[in-house]
Amino acid sequence: MATKLPKVPVVIVGMGWAGGIIASELTKAGVKVVGIERGKDRTTSDYLMGHDELRYQHRTELMQDLSKETITSRNNRSMTALPMRSYGTFIVGDGVGGAGSHWNGQTYRFLPYDFEIKTLTEQKYGPNKVKPEYTIQDWGITYDEIEPYYDKFEKMAGISGETVELYGKRSNPYPTGPMVKTPIMKEFEKVTKKLGFSPYVIPSSNLSETYKNPDGIQRGACQYCAYCENFGCEYGAKADPAVTVIPVAKNTGNLDLRTHSNVTRILNDGKKATGVFYVNTITGEEFEQPADVVVVASYVFNNVRLLLNSGLGKPYNPETGTGAIGKNYCYQVTGGATTIFFNDKEFNLYGGAGALGMELPDFTGDNFDHSNLNFIHGAGIRVTQYGNRPIANNTVPKGTPSWGAEFKKQSIKYANSTFPVKVQAASMPHRENYLDLDPTYKDAYGMPLLRMTYDYTEQDREIVKYMAQITKKIAKEFGADIMETNEEQAPFNVNKDGNTHNTGGVIMGADSETSAVNSYLQMWDAENVFVAGASAFPHNSNYNPTGTLSALSYRAAEGIIKYIQQGGLLV
């Protein structure tokens, strides 16, 4: 029988970026908070001597244990979904810091166009530009309204970057300057400027210089050691909730952090949450934690699953288009890249950082004319230098044997002489791409797994064809000896595709009929439940999502404080 604990003002489920930011802001305001995290607590000391590629990248020590909890996946409704038992498409974090501990650190803002995408697209191209099966909608907030929260996050995390003219207006420059330019970045800058484009250094949470943030947290500069994605940063140079917002919350004395605790249900009376039910993952003990406010901040998939397993909100129905929980699941599109090989140039690609690279703004969002194109939105075209770790990187030209002496010879030859001109394109929501509960498979606690129904759409295939011509043009200007372009988008494969950015399922908006939460991430159907994270995005832009989900988390924290004071729906 579960132990019932004393009631608290706020309980937060998940202590990654969203949960950590909200915990920091609430505890600084004097609010008592219980933070529940299914994994372990972590600090930089956990990552000392941690440059172990096998342990962290290939055996995924920082990630969720897929033998106990995973998702099921299928490409369409006629298929039977099967559990994902090995990581491929995305990697779901586990422990304090969540995905914010093992991320690369690329930290963009979304465009003004993103937040009013339906209105602005129809104004410019007419109401028939987007087919009705694409369920795009405005976010219920404008860029100007979210800009102060972007600014607050960037100052807290010390984001390094440079102002880009084609992007939204900024109230302040980035708090630290851009990362250094490596030889491949300088080459990319030279050839793309020659083609008339406007390259810029990718904004980074890997600090370019020592920085002290407004909360008094001081961190050192990035060492360019190349162990970012899949790894925690032993120097604390990469902004991570575990080295920024969570220590601040702990120091207030108002945060009760409970690790190794897995929330399986949000307790509710049908109109409001009354608390959460969780299990100690080590002892198996069960607890009921009553609370006045419940914040769900446990990553896209678990946010949706917790609401569905708890009977909160109306599940999305793809046949009728009604309901909002599970609606507008989006991914990102990475086809269209061109990989280039040089026979007589080397670039020391073993060094780098997770957010080290250059990108073009020219083909993002609506920064180019779509009048005669069969898609909307766009892509970031970029080169990056993450650092090619030895086990995962053996890129060889097509036609090379996949094993044996010739493979070894070509791997060595091109180890520092090949890199891709990449594409990261936006993902528009489609009526048939959604999340719901699997009718067959359950987790280690007997709760239904989340089922993903997803495949790339005609919009995705068209954007890949277009961007492939751009990357091919850039690659040719590089003067490469071999060029290989991925010109067609293959069907989605959950064990193979290489982007990690999932969004949607608990989307925000101005209308309770078409969205699950308002612009404070407060549920329309349960006013004391706030659902934070990229699950709130109605579509996925061509940028990495952390900057936007973090900005929205600051707004949600502001809303929770208002709710504690006055109650009721905030919008």
Side-chain angles (χ1 to χ4, degrees):
M1 184 176 178
T3 300
K4 188 169 184 176
L5 302 169
K7 190 176 185 181
V8 296
V10 177
V11 62
I12 300 176
V13 184
M15 295 302 286
W17 270 126
I21 287 170
I22 293 170
S24 175
E25 293 303 290
L26 296 188
T27 56
K28 284 192 292 184
V31 178
K32 294 287 186 183
V33 171
V34 168
I36 300 181
E37 168 56 47
R38 67 184 169 193
K40 61 184 280 189
D41 198 4
R42 291 193 182 96
T43 67
T44 51
S45 63
D46 289 282
Y47 308 128
L48 291 176
M49 306 301 289
H51 292 188
D52 187 334
E53 184 182 352
L54 187 63
R55 175 183 173 187
Y56 287 105
Q57 183 167 358
H58 302 284
R59 294 178 175 165
T60 58
E61 180 166 312
L62 299 183
M63 313 309 168
Q64 177 179 301
D65 183 348
L66 298 180
S67 71
K68 295 179 179 176
E69 183 180 346
T70 184
I71 64 163
T72 66
S73 174
R74 61 180 181 174
N75 286 49
N76 58 64
R77 281 197 277 160
S78 68
M79 300 172 71
T80 298
L82 295 173
M84 180 180 80
R85 294 301 187 193
S86 61
Y87 281 113
T89 300
F90 32 75
I91 41 180
V92 183
D94 186 71
V96 169
S101 289
H102 68 74
W103 70 317
N104 258 338
Q106 297 175 29
T107 316
Y108 304 84
R109 296 179 175 196
F110 282 13
L111 297 167
Y113 173 68
D114 281 305
F115 300 102
E116 300 176 272
I117 187 169
K118 183 174 175 59
T119 298
L120 296 177
T121 299
E122 291 182 353
Q123 281 180 359
K124 187 171 181 180
Y125 302 109
N128 299 322
K129 178 66 175 176
V130 179
K131 295 177 181 176
E133 59 266 31
Y134 292 94
T135 52
I136 65 165
Q137 59 188 64
D138 294 345
W139 289 41
I141 191 171
T142 66
Y143 176 84
D144 288 344
E145 289 171 321
I146 196 175
E147 200 280 336
Y149 305 103
Y150 273 125
D151 186 61
K152 191 168 186 175
F153 173 69
E154 289 165 358
K155 287 175 178 169
M156 181 280 295
I159 302 304
S160 304
E162 57 183 329
T163 299
V164 180
E165 286 187 11
L166 286 174
Y167 291 171
K169 289 183 180 177
R170 304 177 56 87
S171 55
N172 289 291
Y174 286 104
T176 55
M179 303 283 278
V180 298
K181 294 177 185 174
T182 64
I184 66 166
M185 292 165 67
K186 291 175 181 174
E187 283 287 310
F188 181 77
E189 183 177 37
K190 184 176 73 176
V191 302
T192 54
K193 278 187 173 179
K194 190 175 177 182
L195 292 170
F197 304 141
S198 311
Y200 69 98
V201 179
I202 290 173
S204 165
S205 84
N206 315 124
L207 281 175
S208 63
E209 58 192 87
T210 299
Y211 177 70
K212 187 174 185 178
N213 77 8
D215 289 321
I217 298 288
Q218 182 163 314
R219 296 159 37 227
C222 178
Q223 308 296 302
Y224 299 88
C225 73
Y227 287 78
C228 298
E229 187 175 56
N230 295 284
F231 298 81
C233 180
E234 65 193 286
Y235 309 108
K238 180 173 71 175
D240 173 341
V243 300
T244 53
V245 287
I246 291 173
V248 171
K250 286 179 176 176
N251 287 338
T252 66
N254 291 325
L255 175 64
D256 178 356
L257 178 61
R258 298 177 193 166
T259 55
H260 300 292
S261 300
N262 196 343
V263 175
T264 58
R265 280 179 291 137
I266 302 165
L267 304 172
N268 67 90
D269 61 10
K271 295 181 179 178
K272 282 187 174 183
T274 57
V276 299
F277 184 93
Y278 70 92
V279 181
N280 184 298
T281 60
I282 296 176
T283 66
E285 292 176 279
E286 298 176 336
F287 297 92
E288 181 182 332
Q289 176 60 68
D292 293 321
V293 174
V294 173
V295 179
V296 185
S298 56
Y299 196 69
V300 168
F301 298 133
N302 211 40
N303 282 1
V304 177
R305 191 164 83 105
L306 267 178
L307 295 179
L308 292 175
N309 274 329
S310 306
L312 273 175
K314 187 177 180 183
Y316 173 67
N317 183 335
E319 293 185 4
T320 63
T322 59
I325 309 302
K327 179 183 176 183
N328 282 27
Y329 167 74
C330 289
Y331 186 54
Q332 275 177 333
V333 187
T334 53
T338 294
T339 300
I340 56 183
F341 298 83
F342 296 95
N343 289 329
D344 57 358
K345 288 184 181 178
E346 291 193 339
F347 297 96
N348 293 337
L349 299 173
Y350 54 82
L356 186 62
M358 295 200 78
E359 179 165 293
L360 303 181
D362 308 77
F363 302 99
T364 61
D366 197 40
N367 285 328
F368 57 111
D369 185 25
H370 291 68
S371 298
N372 297 315
L373 301 176
N374 294 323
F375 63 88
I376 61 169
H377 217 295
I381 292 177
R382 56 177 71 160
V383 295
T384 56
Q385 187 164 343
Y386 299 160
N388 290 346
R389 294 184 288 272
I391 299 175
N393 294 280
N394 289 285
T395 305
V396 292
K398 287 180 180 175
T400 303
S402 58
W403 192 250
E406 184 62 18
F407 173 74
K408 183 177 180 181
K409 178 183 174 184
Q410 296 298 321
S411 294
I412 293 170
K413 177 179 179 180
Y414 291 111
N416 285 296
S417 302
T418 180
F419 56 88
V421 179
K422 298 178 178 176
V423 171
Q424 181 170 282
S427 174
M428 295 298 106
H430 189 278
R431 184 172 174 150
E432 292 292 331
N433 289 334
Y434 64 99
L435 305 171
D436 66 355
L437 292 177
D438 192 281
T440 305
Y441 294 98
K442 295 181 170 57
D443 67 9
Y445 306 102
M447 305 299 291
L449 296 180
L450 192 73
R451 179 173 63 179
M452 169 196 290
T453 302
Y454 179 81
D455 204 353
Y456 297 112
T457 64
E458 188 58 30
Q459 144 92 21
D460 300 327
R461 288 186 281 275
E462 289 294 319
I463 206 169
V464 164
K465 289 178 187 173
Y466 183 89
M467 296 302 165
Q469 300 312 308
I470 308 297
T471 62
K472 196 185 296 184
K473 189 175 180 181
I474 294 169
K476 187 177 180 182
E477 194 65 32
F478 262 107
D481 295 293
I482 302 171
M483 299 192 309
E484 296 175 354
T485 303
N486 173 14
E487 301 194 51
E488 298 287 339
Q489 182 61 58
F492 176 71
N493 184 329
V494 76
N495 295 121
K496 184 178 178 183
D497 291 18
N499 191 279
T500 61
H501 305 142
N502 303 281
T503 63
V506 193
I507 62 173
M508 60 190 295
D511 184 347
S512 61
E513 290 297 315
T514 57
S515 59
V517 296
N518 62 29
S519 64
Y520 288 97
L521 309 188
Q522 179 187 32
M523 283 194 78
W524 296 110
D525 293 336
E527 65 180 38
N528 68 337
V529 178
F530 292 76
V531 188
S535 56
F537 297 4
H539 71 269
N540 203 356
S541 184
N542 50 246
Y543 304 103
N544 300 40
T546 299
T548 298
L549 78 85
S550 298
L552 289 172
S553 298
Y554 275 106
R555 181 172 169 85
E558 187 179 289
I560 293 165
I561 292 171
K562 283 184 184 177
Y563 178 78
I564 290 172
Q565 294 169 345
Q566 69 188 44
L569 285 172
L570 301 171
V571 176

